[in-house]
Amino acid sequence: MLRRGLLSWVSRVGIVLVCLCCIVSVLYMLACTPRAEDEQLLLLRVNSPTGKEGYRAILQEREEEHRNYITSLKKQIAQLKDELQERSEQLKNVQGHYSDALTVTFDHASPEKTQTDLLDFLHSQVNKAEVHNGVKVPTEYAAIPFDSFTVQKVYQLETGLTRHPEEKPVRKDKRDELVEVIEVAVQTLNSPEDGNNNPKRTYTSSDFIEGIYRTERDKGTLYELTFKGDKNQEFKRLVLFRPFGPVVKVKNEKLNMANVLVNIIVPLARRADKFQQFMHNFREVCINQDKRVHLTVVYFGKQQAQEVKAILENTSKAANFKNFTFIQLNEEFSRGKGLDVGARAWKGNNVLLFFCDVDIYFNAEFLNTCRINTQPGKRVFYPVLFSQYNPAIIYGHHDAIPSIDQQLVIKKDTGFWRDFGFGMTCQYRSDFINIGGFDLDIKGWGGEDVHLYRKYLHSNLIVIRTPVRGLFHLWHEKRCVDELTPEQYKMCMQSKAMNEASHGQLGMLVFRHEIEAHLRKQKQKSIVKKS
């Protein structure tokens, strides 16, 4: 057994040694085999007279190849330089074109590629934003409203208990932003126009009237600024855009509103006392100040119809005012039907319509804002009005309530921006007809305004939605009738509470018993101390 195992072990070792010898032989043959380059050298060495001359010939051949390669590279470099010079000239021409359109100056020392990319980016951002044409919006909740501003204040729609409907910007970034925009606009107005060397007036920030702006977070901020023009009722509007970079000019327009008539359409049923108050404001603002208006009253029913008509006729005689139309419809009140009938009753040229209610107060400044923010076939205006709280709650006692003119103050405790209402709107009659007007199947009060607003959001027209400081909804008592369902009645009461007073004022009413008890205790303590 031992011998047999030994023989087996020896045979295995022999096989391993044979394999190792084979592997070593193969490696030796591979290592000793000459490379192709060495074979060529050997052939050259065999064919050449001497080995030294053969190497010299090879070196001369290699040197000639390198010279040819260098010459080819020099030609390519020269061609690239010529092409670069040509591209630079094209870039200057393109940059000049965009600079005229956008008034942006770039550093000519910057790399050409960077300048081209920046110009393309600015131009694409302006094109994507709702600047030149309207963008279709699915619902009223998707529309981005504007904020309005003057030199001193910003009128904003941001919600929250700590927010104010108007503010003097405290944050430095917002204040500096608006100051910069006004300065850019003034510089643009004062810059010489191409081909026009005639002297012109010098604009300052005191010529700025008001502006609107909004930010689309993926595109930039759009600004529209209105300045006083060279003549009465003439204005200058500048459209600026900040595409998350330098402010660029998009438009510089002259707006002449001297001959733009506003047809104010008021649907009405009863409420003769409110109409008397409305006509008092109408006479002061529209007849005595603006003088470029037409009034259309669409009255439903017969009750108080003669009284309302008499108020119109008396105002006409007293103020020598003939630009009014009285239409009477003997049917159930429908706000949409009244506005639709009033708009279609106009027989003259295309006219600017202002859909208004009898409990609305506006000033002459608003009428110009209405004109400036509308354009036939291009823009419609949906202002956000300031809704007044119950004066009896605000001022505490009926005897302490000031006049209406003194009540119209935009503050947190006097009212709120009525951003859920779309009834007051300015639009040209042609746009109203082309969009299809109101849904006449809607009866009563409410619903028709949202339906029309959605039509414009779904169109290619630009919808301007912004708070306006010259348009007010006067407070009136809201009645929740017994015919409503429990759910409708609850919603009606919630709406009534919203229109009565601010959150803080309602809180004072809820906790008035606790406040009175505290005052009584404080009074008793003071009496004890004195005694």
Side-chain angles (χ1 to χ4, degrees):
M1 291 293 293
L2 181 62
R3 182 180 298 176
R4 188 177 298 172
L6 182 62
L7 289 173
S8 176
W9 180 81
V10 169
S11 61
R12 289 176 184 175
V13 171
I15 293 172
V16 171
L17 289 173
V18 171
C19 292
L20 287 175
C21 291
C22 293
I23 292 171
V24 171
S25 300
V26 171
L27 292 174
Y28 178 79
M29 292 176 63
L30 291 174
C32 295
T33 302
R35 294 191 299 269
E37 293 179 357
D38 295 334
E39 289 179 357
Q40 290 179 358
L41 288 174
L42 289 172
L43 290 172
L44 287 171
R45 188 175 295 176
V46 171
N47 296 329
S48 61
T50 63
K52 186 176 181 180
E53 292 179 357
Y55 279 118
R56 186 177 296 170
I58 292 173
L59 290 174
Q60 288 178 353
E61 184 178 351
R62 293 287 176 86
E63 185 178 359
E64 187 66 26
E65 290 177 358
H66 284 304
R67 285 177 180 173
N68 293 335
Y69 183 66
I70 292 171
T71 302
S72 175
L73 287 177
K74 287 182 178 180
K75 289 181 179 180
Q76 292 181 30
I77 291 172
Q79 292 175 356
L80 289 173
K81 285 183 177 180
D82 292 340
E83 188 174 350
L84 180 62
Q85 182 67 26
E86 183 180 351
R87 293 292 177 88
S88 298
E89 294 297 328
Q90 293 177 356
L91 176 65
K92 289 180 181 179
N93 295 333
V94 172
Q95 181 174 331
H97 172 73
Y98 282 120
S99 296
D100 292 339
L102 302 174
T103 63
V104 180
T105 304
F106 296 95
D107 184 8
H108 290 272
S110 300
E112 287 81 356
K113 184 68 168 63
T114 303
Q115 293 185 10
T116 303
D117 291 345
L118 180 58
L119 283 167
D120 291 342
F121 169 74
L122 297 178
H123 195 62
S124 66
Q125 291 296 92
V126 172
N127 286 336
K128 287 191 293 184
E130 193 175 4
V131 177
H132 300 290
N133 296 296
V135 177
K136 294 182 179 181
V137 179
T139 68
E140 62 271 24
Y141 304 106
I144 302 175
F146 287 83
D147 286 343
S148 59
F149 66 99
T150 63
V151 174
Q152 297 293 335
K153 293 184 179 181
V154 176
Y155 301 86
Q156 57 202 0
L157 290 179
E158 296 182 36
T159 57
L161 296 178
T162 62
R163 302 301 301 175
H164 292 265
E166 57 86 19
E167 69 170 6
K168 293 183 179 180
V170 177
R171 274 179 41 182
K172 186 176 183 299
D173 60 338
K174 180 182 284 189
R175 186 171 64 250
D176 291 348
E177 172 196 0
L178 297 179
V179 168
E180 179 194 3
V181 167
I182 295 174
E183 289 177 351
V184 170
V186 170
Q187 292 174 6
T188 302
L189 289 172
N190 290 329
S191 62
E193 298 177 359
D194 295 339
N196 186 4
N197 297 322
N198 297 328
K200 61 177 185 178
R201 60 174 286 190
T202 300
Y203 288 87
T204 65
S205 58
S206 62
D207 295 313
F208 174 65
I209 300 174
E210 66 177 351
I212 59 175
Y213 73 101
R214 71 176 178 187
T215 299
E216 297 182 64
R217 298 187 186 278
D218 60 336
K219 300 177 183 67
T221 304
L222 173 66
Y223 308 87
E224 294 190 9
L225 296 91
T226 304
F227 288 80
K228 297 175 184 176
D230 297 330
K231 301 176 182 178
N232 188 28
Q233 301 305 331
E234 189 174 271
F235 304 91
K236 296 281 285 186
R237 175 168 62 200
L238 271 83
V239 180
L240 306 177
F241 191 75
R242 188 195 298 271
F244 300 120
V247 179
V248 299
K249 182 189 76 177
V250 179
K251 293 180 183 178
N252 183 353
E253 301 175 313
K254 180 182 289 187
L255 306 175
N256 189 345
M257 301 298 167
N259 298 318
V260 177
L261 184 75
V262 179
N263 184 6
I264 303 174
I265 304 178
V266 180
L268 188 63
R270 298 182 295 276
R271 306 184 71 185
D273 55 338
K274 290 293 183 181
F275 185 70
Q276 180 72 58
Q277 180 179 297
F278 174 86
M279 288 304 298
H280 175 77
N281 174 54
F282 180 87
R283 178 175 178 177
E284 178 63 28
V285 173
C286 300
I287 300 176
N288 296 342
Q289 298 179 40
D290 191 87
K291 305 182 188 325
R292 293 162 293 155
V293 295
H294 184 96
L295 176 62
T296 301
V297 178
V298 181
Y299 195 85
F300 289 82
K302 297 180 179 179
Q303 188 177 359
Q304 298 186 1
Q306 293 303 317
E307 189 175 348
V308 168
K309 192 172 182 181
I311 294 172
L312 264 176
E313 293 173 349
N314 292 337
T315 303
S316 173
K317 292 177 182 178
N320 193 24
F321 177 74
K322 306 295 184 182
N323 292 340
F324 72 91
T325 302
F326 182 81
I327 303 172
Q328 186 173 359
L329 301 177
N330 294 321
E331 55 186 86
E332 181 186 355
F333 177 83
S334 169
R335 184 176 186 271
K337 176 68 176 293
L339 294 173
D340 197 273
V341 169
R344 297 179 188 275
W346 180 260
K347 301 303 181 184
N349 296 327
N350 196 17
V351 67
L352 176 58
L353 306 175
F354 170 38
F355 296 150
C356 187
D357 290 337
V358 72
D359 50 12
I360 296 298
Y361 178 96
F362 56 88
N363 56 24
E365 182 183 80
F366 166 75
L367 292 176
N368 277 329
T369 303
C370 177
R371 294 181 177 101
I372 290 169
N373 285 292
T374 49
Q375 185 178 351
K378 194 77 174 179
R379 296 158 60 109
V380 294
F381 184 41
Y382 272 84
V384 180
L385 50 81
F386 193 75
S387 190
Q388 183 189 40
Y389 286 139
N390 187 346
I393 296 178
I394 296 173
Y395 301 102
H397 195 276
H398 286 281
D399 296 336
I401 297 177
S403 63
I404 291 180
D405 293 342
Q406 294 175 325
Q407 292 178 34
L408 303 178
V409 179
I410 299 176
K411 288 185 178 180
K412 184 178 181 181
D413 291 332
T414 60
F416 63 98
W417 292 117
R418 204 178 186 89
D419 59 344
F420 54 83
F422 307 96
M424 308 314 119
T425 171
C426 298
Q427 54 197 265
Y428 274 86
R429 183 179 182 273
S430 57
D431 294 327
F432 177 77
I433 299 298
N434 291 335
I435 206 73
F438 286 107
D439 183 357
L440 300 183
D441 293 331
I442 299 176
K443 303 298 182 183
W445 199 285
E448 79 293 329
D449 51 356
V450 179
H451 185 268
L452 180 64
Y453 181 64
R454 288 172 180 167
K455 282 185 178 180
Y456 282 118
L457 291 179
H458 297 162
S459 73
N460 292 322
L461 274 70
I462 297 175
V463 178
I464 303 296
R465 177 81 167 154
T466 183
V468 176
R469 52 201 168 97
L471 187 64
F472 295 85
H473 178 267
L474 302 179
W475 181 87
H476 58 85
E477 185 177 359
K478 186 176 182 67
R479 301 181 185 277
C480 298
V481 296
D482 295 333
E483 288 77 11
L484 297 174
T485 65
E487 185 63 28
Q488 289 177 324
Y489 190 83
K490 180 181 177 181
M491 294 175 61
C492 182
M493 292 301 293
Q494 290 175 343
S495 176
K496 181 176 182 176
M498 184 186 301
N499 288 272
E500 285 292 310
S502 67
H503 183 272
Q505 291 166 329
L506 289 176
M508 296 292 287
L509 291 175
V510 171
F511 301 112
R512 66 182 183 276
H513 298 299
E514 296 179 30
I515 296 171
E516 291 172 357
H518 173 76
L519 293 175
R520 285 195 300 268
K521 291 178 183 178
Q522 292 295 320
K523 188 176 181 180
Q524 291 174 357
K525 286 181 180 180
S526 63
I527 294 174
V528 171
K529 286 182 179 180
K530 290 179 180 179
S531 61

